[in-house]
Amino acid sequence: MSISVTDAPERERFEARDDDGNLAGFVTYQLTGAIIVYTHTEVVPAYEGHGVGSTLAKAVMDDARSRNRTVVPICPFISGWLEKHPEYDAVVARSTRKVK
C-alpha cells in the first residue's frame, strides 16, 4: 500500500490517501503569512499502525521547509515526531517546541 499526501488548502489540511483514493489520515493547519501551525493529526482507524502518521508528518514538514515557512507544532503527534527528527529544527519555532 502506498500513501500519497496532498495539500487541500480549501479545508486547511494535508490529506493522506491510499492507491484507491481513500482518505487514510490528515493534518490540519492554520496558515498566517510564512507561519504554519499544525493543529491536529488524525489517522483513519483502518490505517493505524501502517506509518500513515509518520508519512503525513514528513510530508508536511518537507512542504513547510520547501516554502520557507516557520512551523509551530501544536499537535502532540507532530511535536513528538519532530523530537525524533532534528533535521527539521531549522524550520520549527523554538519558543513553542515543547508545547503539549
Side-chain angles (χ1 to χ4, degrees):
M1 169 179 65
S2 69
I3 296 292
S4 61
V5 177
T6 55
D7 189 4
E10 69 283 357
R11 293 200 268 302
E12 293 189 310
R13 69 185 196 176
F14 284 86
E15 298 177 341
R17 295 187 179 273
D18 67 12
D19 297 327
D20 296 323
N22 298 309
L23 184 68
F26 59 87
V27 173
T28 57
Y29 64 82
Q30 295 171 344
L31 181 63
T32 306
I35 298 171
I36 190 159
V37 180
Y38 294 127
T39 55
H40 180 69
T41 301
E42 192 166 314
V43 174
V44 173
Y47 294 90
E48 287 177 359
H50 294 284
V52 173
S54 293
T55 298
L56 274 161
K58 181 177 182 344
V60 302
M61 291 306 299
D62 286 345
D63 182 79
R65 185 162 52 190
S66 72
R67 296 173 190 254
N68 293 315
R69 290 178 172 160
T70 299
V71 172
V72 179
I74 289 176
C75 168
F77 179 83
I78 299 286
S79 281
W81 187 89
L82 283 168
E83 287 175 13
K84 298 180 195 117
H85 295 86
E87 65 270 25
Y88 293 99
D89 282 355
V91 297
V92 176
R94 294 274 178 236
S95 63
T96 56
R97 183 67 196 275
K98 298 293 182 187
V99 172
K100 296 277 187 216

